[in-house]
Amino acid sequence: MRKVLLAVSAAVVLVIGMGGASAGARVIAPEADVAHHGHVSLTGGRLGIALVSQSYGPASLDNATVKFTFSAPLAGAQVLPERCLWGSDRVVLCAAGPLRAGGTGRTVALDLRTLGVPDEVVVKVGTHWNGGATDRNSANNEHEVLVPSTGDPYVF
């Protein structure tokens, strides 16, 4: 019994010692100003979205995910572009891929049908995931766009 207590005590000391050593080591998240800009149009229940994602730096990102949320439900059985998936009947998530700091952006194009023919749709665009980077300027990657069914492109 004494040997078991000694072994457990040694293990506890080892774990606490290791925890104390790693607690002093700080991991600093990279800073990357992710930006999403583009336009969206609505006509006859059809939503067209063109978006460019970029990192203004200072860090590049291995990947980022943009989230589109729609105020109107989207029709089922639609095929999304490669790198995109359904989050729900009102949410689409798309991987932007690697974003080089200060480099040209990655384009996502969506052609979606709504359930029915709404007069307008509110589209929210935002970064869902950016690899844990710090982004001090969310004003250029979080957008909410009211899109009347005019066929006109509304820029964000």
Side-chain angles (χ1 to χ4, degrees):
M1 179 68 163
R2 186 173 183 184
K3 288 182 182 180
V4 170
L5 286 174
L6 215 55
V8 169
S9 297
V12 168
V13 168
L14 182 62
V15 168
I16 290 173
M18 287 174 60
S22 65
R26 291 192 175 141
V27 177
I28 298 174
E31 184 176 344
D33 183 13
V34 177
H36 307 296
H37 298 292
H39 59 85
V40 58
S41 62
L42 174 66
T43 184
R46 196 158 206 101
L47 275 165
I49 299 172
L51 169 126
V52 175
S53 297
Q54 296 177 262
S55 173
Y56 291 135
S60 297
L61 297 174
D62 291 336
N63 202 348
T65 305
V66 63
K67 179 179 180 181
F68 300 94
T69 306
F70 306 95
S71 64
L74 301 173
Q78 297 184 68
V79 177
L80 294 174
E82 189 176 310
R83 300 186 343 234
C84 294
L85 58 87
W86 291 101
S88 74
D89 68 338
R90 295 175 188 240
V91 174
V92 173
L93 301 159
C94 296
L99 301 176
R100 190 171 53 85
T104 58
R106 299 286 303 249
T107 301
V108 172
L110 298 172
D111 182 17
L112 303 168
R113 294 181 325 279
T114 59
L115 196 60
V117 184
D119 292 331
E120 63 186 28
V121 173
V122 175
V123 178
K124 293 182 182 178
V125 178
T127 301
H128 182 69
W129 180 79
N130 67 358
T134 301
D135 188 344
R136 296 180 192 196
N137 180 18
S138 63
N140 61 4
N141 65 317
E142 302 290 333
H143 307 283
E144 186 170 321
V145 185
L146 174 64
V147 187
S149 185
T150 62
D152 297 320
Y154 292 87
V155 176
F156 58 89

